[in-house]
Structures are given as structure tokens and as C-alpha cells.
Amino acid sequence: MKIATWNVNSVRQRQPHVTRWLEINSPDLLLLQEIKCETRAFPAESFSSLGYESVAVGQKAYNGVAILSRLPFTVTQRHLPGLELPETGEHQARYVEVEAGGITVGNLYLPNGNSGGADGYAAKLAWMDALTAHARTLLAAETDFILAGDYNVCPTDDDMAPGIMGADDALVRPETRERFRALQWLGLTDAVRAVTPRGSVYTFWDYQAGCWPRDRGLRIDHAMLSPRVAERLLDAVPDRAVRDEVQPSDHVPMVVTLR
DNA sequence: ATGACCCGCGCAGCGGGA
């Protein structure tokens, strides 16, 4: 079973890249983040013609997540349980979850946390707390699951090119990393680090400053596996070749292979 | 080198990204 996650930075800009990638790699599921369109504008037909049915949770201009699957699936969540919604306005489109092939697959786009001042960062931490609580619920029900997507977290200094971010950046602050570790302490496995314990395994390179040619990247896209799923782990690796394509996303797909 | 890019929105330039 092959499950991939990819922040595409606008699905309408990246639709050719996504269909090409599906044709070459044939994952069972592909989790997309930052589709940056309303649900009704999601180009589902271009994927269903390749054998992938989809569920999209979008909003205007920002955020937005979708899951493509060539396996039969049922939608189990369209937002992260336990998050208090703002009193005004719609909640942000950052979570969708399906059950497919006997596994619950959560697709998440965690807030960056660098905009909106102190409130913006507090919202990121609250989101992470809600994710941990949801993971705890799934574990209590003995559900096999994977929580994958753009976490906007560099778990350790090994996950970022030297000097690329200040210590006060929301992606690396101690409170952020502490909450990422809380997921691991529940018993979840960081798939990439289970396969490659040390060294740079980047999934993102900024468009600016020649970050990609100089390999100055970040590891911020992750797949966290529940214990029984972790026992089935064969491989977890980013597909770096995609970053060399014309007009690429700044993230590349990260592919998890299970027995 | 304090530099550099890309997206949506909407038609200039800004907020957001990480």
C-alpha cells in the first residue's frame, strides 16, 4: 500500500504536475494540501479519469485539503474534531480524513504560525493540541491510522539547513517541537525517521535565494503512523525529482510504502 | 548582500507562505 502527501501550492496551478505524478507513481492514496480553491472548483474530473475518486475540503484563496484514492473509501472527518470554531466566519480548511484499505488516513495542513502575531502562533499550538487529542481518541478505539501532511514543523535541527531560520520561527520554537514530540510519545512513528534516522531528508525548498540548487531545505511534511501501521512500514521517502520540474510546488511528494 | 519567489485576488499591490 502506497500513501503519498504533497503540498501542491494551488491545485489549479499544479494540476498537470499532479496528474503526471499519479500516472508515473500510481499511489493508492494521494493527500494534497494548499489546494487554494473552493471545494466546487477542485478539478476532480482530471483525477477521476485516471481512476482516482476524491474528497476536497476547500475555501477561497487559502489553505484547502483533498484526498485522492484509487481504493474505495468513506469520509470520516471534514475538519479536525475538538477545534473551537471562531465566532465569526468559516473555519479554515485544514483537515480531511478517510477510511480506506482498513486504515484511517488523516490529511492535515497545520497553520504556519508566523503570521497574525501572538494570536496566530497560539492558534498553531491549539491546532497541534487538537491533533494530539484526536490521535489519542483513535488510539483508544484501537484504530489503525496514519496522520500525514504539511505539519509546518521542523522537529529537530537536523531537519533544516543550517542558518535557514531563526530560533524564534514558529516552525522551530520549543513549544512547537514539544507538541510534535507529544505525538511521538503517544506511540506514533515518524515514518521518514524510522527509515532514515539522521541527516537531511528535506521536503520543502523556498522559491527564493537559490534554496533548491543549494539544497537549503526543510523537513516539514510528515507521516505519523499508529503502532500497527508502523509495523508494516517498508519505506518513507520524499520524491526530490519533482522539485526540478517546470513551475514546481515548493514542496515535493513524500511517499510512504506499507506491507 | 539588508538582495532574490510564488500564489490568489483582481488589475495594484498586498497578505500569506516557510
Side-chain angles (χ1 to χ4, degrees):
Chain A
M1 188 171 183
K2 201 151 96 174
I3 303 171
T5 174
W6 192 5
N7 179 323
V8 288
N9 186 19
S10 171
V11 72
R12 288 177 290 184
Q13 291 295 320
R14 234 59 70 191
Q15 186 267 334
H17 304 69
V18 174
T19 52
R20 187 161 58 237
W21 196 85
L22 287 171
E23 288 177 319
I24 294 171
N25 295 278
S26 304
D28 294 293
L29 293 109
L30 176 59
L31 284 46
L32 303 177
Q33 303 90 35
E34 280 207 273
I35 63 173
K36 289 189 171 177
C37 64
E38 293 182 271
T39 304
R40 66 172 178 271
F42 185 74
E45 317 74 36
S46 54
F47 306 127
S48 59
S49 64
L50 299 174
Y52 289 86
E53 296 305 314
S54 59
V55 54
V57 177
Q59 67 180 85
K60 191 174 182 177
Y62 299 112
N63 309 316
V65 287
I67 298 178
L68 314 182
S69 178
R70 61 176 190 175
L71 303 177
F73 66 88
T74 58
V75 179
T76 49
Q77 302 289 348
R78 283 188 161 84
H79 64 87
L80 187 58
L83 264 194
E84 290 184 28
L85 302 182
E87 302 214 351
T88 58
E90 299 294 313
H91 69 274
Q92 297 185 332
R94 294 182 178 275
Y95 190 80
V96 62
E97 183 186 281
V98 300
E99 194 281 329
I103 299 179
T104 294
V105 180
N107 176 19
L108 61 111
Y109 176 51
L110 222 145
N112 175 298
N114 280 312
S115 64
D119 289 349
Y121 185 62
K124 175 175 191 159
L125 297 182
W127 212 97
M128 297 188 79
D129 289 339
L131 182 64
T132 304
H134 184 50
R136 201 185 296 275
T137 300
L138 293 172
L139 285 167
E142 299 190 20
T143 303
D144 292 336
F145 66 91
I146 170 168
L147 295 175
D150 180 355
Y151 277 70
N152 271 316
V153 175
C154 277
T156 74
D157 287 350
D158 217 15
D159 299 311
M160 53 194 274
I164 206 169
M165 284 186 300
D168 61 340
D169 194 287
L171 278 62
V172 303
R173 284 173 62 164
E175 301 93 326
T176 304
R177 287 178 166 176
E178 173 187 309
R179 280 164 177 80
F180 187 83
R181 287 195 301 272
L183 289 171
Q184 298 175 292
W185 289 336
L186 283 179
L188 306 194
T189 295
D190 178 343
V192 163
R193 281 308 184 209
V195 173
T196 310
R198 284 171 298 281
S200 60
V201 191
Y202 303 143
T203 63
F204 164 91
W205 297 261
D206 199 297
Y207 289 117
Q208 301 185 69
C211 281
W212 167 241
R214 294 194 290 157
D215 194 24
R216 291 178 55 77
L218 306 172
R219 189 176 77 92
I220 52 178
D221 300 275
H222 309 299
M224 303 300 285
L225 313 180
S226 71
R228 276 192 299 263
V229 175
E231 288 175 5
R232 297 169 52 188
L233 179 63
L234 289 177
D235 200 11
V237 63
D239 184 357
R240 292 172 60 104
V242 170
R243 192 63 176 77
D244 266 328
E245 293 182 356
V246 176
Q247 296 178 335
S249 170
D250 40 7
H251 299 246
V252 297
M254 205 272 285
V255 186
V256 176
T257 309
L258 305 175
R259 241 187 310 274

